[in-house]
Amino acid sequence: MGVESESQLENKFIKQLVNQGYSRIKIEDEKDLENNFREQLYLHNKEKLDNIPFSDYEFNKIMTHLSGKSIFESANILRDKCILERDEGNTPKKVYLEFIDSNNLNNNIFQVTNQITMKGKYENRYDVTLLINGLPLIQVELKKAGVDIKEAFNQVMRYRKHSYKGLFRYIQIFVIGSNKNVKYFANRDGEILFNSAFFWANVDNKRITNLDEFTESFLEKNRIAKIISEYMIINESDKNLMVMRPYQIYAVESILDRAINTNSNGYVWHTTGSGKTLTSFKASQLLANNPKIDRVFFLVDRKDLDAQTIKEFNKFEEDSVDNTNNTKNLVKQIQEIDRKLIVTTIQKMSKAIKSEKYAEIMDKYKDDKVIFIIDECHRSQFGEMHRVIKKHFVNAQYFGFTGTPIFKENKGAKDMVTADLFKKCLHTYLIKDAIRDGNVLGFLIQYFKTFEGNYDKNDDTKIYKINKKELWSTDERISLICNDIVKNHNLKTRDKEYCSIFAVDSIPSLIKYYNKFKEFDHDLKIAGIYTYEANEASAGINAEHSRDSLERIISDYNKIYNTNYSTDTFSNYFTDISKRLKNGQIDILLVVNMFLTGFDSKLLNTIYIDKDMKYHNLIQAFSRTNRVYSANKPHGNVVCYRNLREKTENAIRLFSQTDDVDTVLMESYEFYLDKFKERLEKLHNIANTPDDVDLIEGESKTSEFVMAFKNLTKVLVTMKNFVEFEFEEDKLGIDEQTYQDYKTKYLMVYDDVTKGEYEGTSVLKDIDFSIELMYTDKINVDYILNLLKNLDIDNTKNRDKEIKDIVDKLKKADNEELRLKVELIQEFLEKEVPKIIELNNQDDIESLYYEFEDKKRTEEVEEFAKENNIDTNKLWDYVEEYDYSKTLDKKAVGDSISAPFLKKKRIINKVSEFIQYQAKKYA
């Protein structure tokens, strides 16, 4: 039996959709698509239209309303009504047309078609298109068995760039895959990353990867219409679309069912980093829209309501958060009849209820059907304030969200078990599920003993021998740990591409560590933050008060970042640290408890720990490091300077509900070393030496080389995080120079593809090069320009050596921005530097380089204008406008070109590509 072709797979898929109630329709091109939309929109709104079809004039008005919009704008239009003024005799009539019925899903019309031909920059034919009421809302791209799903993703990205236009701007969801591997993701303006594509699953989090099962579940008519109408988020602040993941949808559905059909409470256990904020807020929105519910309160802890959290909430609903400390504002919101959803703090709600000042107002609402959604409901303070709120709102229901519930194993003396407050767990999505699905990363944990003590002799941790016992704060031990961090920080963070947190056991320890780091020679940006007690006990007559210590730390921070904070402006200092840590601008942040829960930064990949932790506190702290970012962040790094091995395993067992801790932890170095050698052998079978890559013939074999080298590099990225790693041939089977030579060949293939050397339907055009894996980011444009700036022009021996060094570095360049300038810099070194020497030009060499760049750019613009018969001055206008605004007025370009329609269109596309390439090259 042969491999099923894409055509056979497509037909089988369409047949299943027809059996599920979709109507099969043949649509050849864009004109057919518009004609079908006209008919289906009329049928969907037939009663409102009094059974009178659209006139040409009316339909043109509708198309004008829909056309030329961004994807974000299209998403809003889809969910809104379109006002059509019908001219019926002397009495104009307004009709509110509906594009999708989100209240009665059965009223929508579902169709399926395939192989629609669209002409844009290139002519493309799309695999399968699903239409609701005539609009193409779901686009499916299928690949035969054995083809990487990423190729289908890259194909969609090409189509988005080249030919999705008109009504295809209304695509909400893309589905990509093969017979045994399927994912979905939301459309949006701008770049879409592959890690935003998700597997579908059932309510028990079992993946549905088989196309038949996926179609039966995800593409069931009412399910997909509900996902589009209720479970997509229009992100107002970022102006893009999001679609919820399966576990988020099931959690919201379980809350809605329990809130509407019972008077019982419940909680959702979704692991840290899985998107609880979005899930809880969407549940709040849908509950607030239900007529049976009077009011929904979304409660957060005051200490979590920082700038980052407010921004997250406002993404889902603009101006939804009142972040003042004024209880009066909350009471005022409660009095607003139309405000059904209120986001506030637990503390402010408790104060409003207890205050005699507001008793008369609050009593009016005590019998209302009220829903409380509580974020991070494992916090003890909710248990304390719950009694106050429950006593007042007699018809209230409570739904909590937590990544780390309180069980009897991890409860404190005063804590209540989560189930005591919320009763039933409505849905779970555990850390092992999230790691399996690629929604969070696993942990690479390394334990270091810092002195001899009462430890398990079989514990395979690295031992630093100090003849001290249980003296955590000795100067010798702290110095030892600081030295280890300074020595290995670049290794852990990919040369500071990522940032870190250092959690210590107390404020005195934090101050000691901060002071000790200042004694070391390093270039790390280190900050610290903690809250001090105004009347703390004195540690001695000469001891520094912790507030004074914090003033010193803030003063150093001000010098590094040119800010002006103090302990008097602590909240502003906290906000600035949050922002800079989120953006990866602080190398190490020293903390005691702050930032160990609730804080999210994709650029944070390492946590150093010198404090005792267990259960939920441990998992919460570790989870600061495991947000998914790019291929060169394969896991979160956890470096423990205390023996937390047993406590870590206990925490993982509890919060993964499994005895298999390996589902959460990364493997040993030996495991990855064996894997590396295995993949190196595959690479050698394709090209035994880097020079052999030049002998590879055919795109299929080139594709095999790309995949083999990429897979080798993926393992290498992980190995580099281990202290055992050494790039030596006798250990790895390849030395660093040979690896770099292979990488140069790999990047040459990538450059050829991006420059359009492979035309038509080349298999390489949709290959995933994972180019971010290849970046070192050390050798970038600034780095090379700095070498140029410091070129020793007068010393012949040094100059020639430095030029050779620059040329060698350019050959190895993997930074994409720099690779665009490689030829320019090489030409400058080969042709211009000798002239500078000959003329004894004393000008700044960096300025001379930029003059050279300007000259080359002018030559390129003039040559392009001449080749394409375009006025040079007008072309410069377009170039300068794009440099300034990153926009190009294609209509203005077209108006300036005298050529037949098709030729003009080709020239406009060439101009657009040329200007964009120029902007990148000469940035």
Side-chain angles (χ1 to χ4, degrees), residues 448-494:
F448 295 98
K449 282 185 182 176
T450 52
F451 54 79
E452 296 235 307
N454 185 23
Y455 288 97
D456 180 358
K457 299 296 182 188
N458 297 317
D459 191 343
D460 61 351
T461 54
K462 183 176 178 180
I463 298 175
Y464 293 115
K465 291 189 177 179
I466 300 177
N467 294 320
K468 305 282 182 184
K469 290 184 179 180
E470 301 177 19
L471 296 175
W472 302 111
S473 296
T474 61
D475 190 70
E476 190 175 359
R477 179 176 178 274
I478 284 178
S479 182
L480 188 95
I481 291 171
C482 287
N483 181 63
D484 185 71
I485 291 173
V486 168
K487 186 172 74 174
N488 292 307
H489 184 79
N490 282 3
L491 175 76
K492 294 293 178 190
T493 60
R494 283 183 61 90

Side-chain angles (χ1 to χ4, degrees), residues 195-245:
N195 63 21
S196 61
F198 314 129
F199 286 107
W200 185 241
N202 66 15
V203 71
D204 298 317
N205 302 315
K206 182 184 176 186
R207 274 189 194 171
I208 295 174
T209 58
N210 181 287
L211 181 60
D212 293 346
E213 293 176 40
F214 177 89
T215 306
E216 184 180 353
S217 177
F218 185 81
L219 295 177
E220 188 275 323
K221 291 191 303 179
N222 284 356
R223 166 61 79 190
I224 191 62
K226 195 168 189 179
I227 288 173
I228 288 171
S229 57
E230 292 188 0
Y231 296 122
M232 294 192 75
I233 293 90
I234 298 177
N235 185 324
E236 292 292 341
S237 61
D238 294 341
K239 304 297 181 194
N240 66 31
L241 271 178
M242 301 164 69
V243 62
M244 296 180 79
R245 303 171 190 191

Side-chain angles (χ1 to χ4, degrees), residues 856-874:
K856 294 301 293 182
R857 188 175 199 183
T858 300
E859 288 174 5
E860 288 181 20
V861 169
E862 289 175 353
E863 185 179 346
F864 183 86
K866 186 177 178 181
E867 284 178 1
N868 293 279
N869 197 26
I870 300 170
D871 182 271
T872 306
N873 291 329
K874 286 186 176 178

Side-chain angles (χ1 to χ4, degrees), residues 366 748 829:
K366 65 188 302 181
M748 282 171 59
L829 290 169

Side-chain angles (χ1 to χ4, degrees), residues 360-414:
E360 188 178 341
I361 297 171
M362 295 298 290
D363 283 349
K364 294 177 185 177
Y365 307 100
K366 65 188 302 181
D367 295 321
D368 284 0
K369 169 76 170 178
V370 172
I371 305 289
F372 285 94
I373 304 286
I374 298 94
D375 197 27
E376 302 294 354
C377 69
H378 58 274
R379 300 277 175 78
S380 60
Q381 51 266 54
F382 177 69
E384 294 160 9
M385 296 181 189
H386 174 249
R387 289 181 293 277
V388 175
I389 298 171
K390 186 177 180 182
K391 186 177 179 181
H392 182 84
F393 289 102
V394 294
N395 287 320
Q397 283 176 273
Y398 303 87
F399 296 98
F401 282 80
T402 179
T404 49
I406 304 299
F407 299 105
K408 65 178 188 294
E409 294 93 333
N410 63 314
K411 73 185 285 288
K414 296 181 180 178

Side-chain angles (χ1 to χ4, degrees), residues 280-316:
S280 54
F281 204 80
K282 174 54 76 171
S284 304
Q285 282 183 320
L286 294 176
L287 286 167
N289 291 335
N290 190 288
K292 294 181 180 179
I293 294 164
D294 295 313
R295 197 70 59 102
V296 177
F297 292 102
F298 191 107
L299 297 186
V300 296
D301 190 343
R302 179 175 53 218
K303 70 179 182 179
D304 291 333
L305 201 58
D306 58 13
Q308 179 184 338
T309 312
I310 292 166
K311 185 179 177 183
E312 288 297 313
F313 287 143
N314 286 334
K315 280 181 180 180
F316 312 138

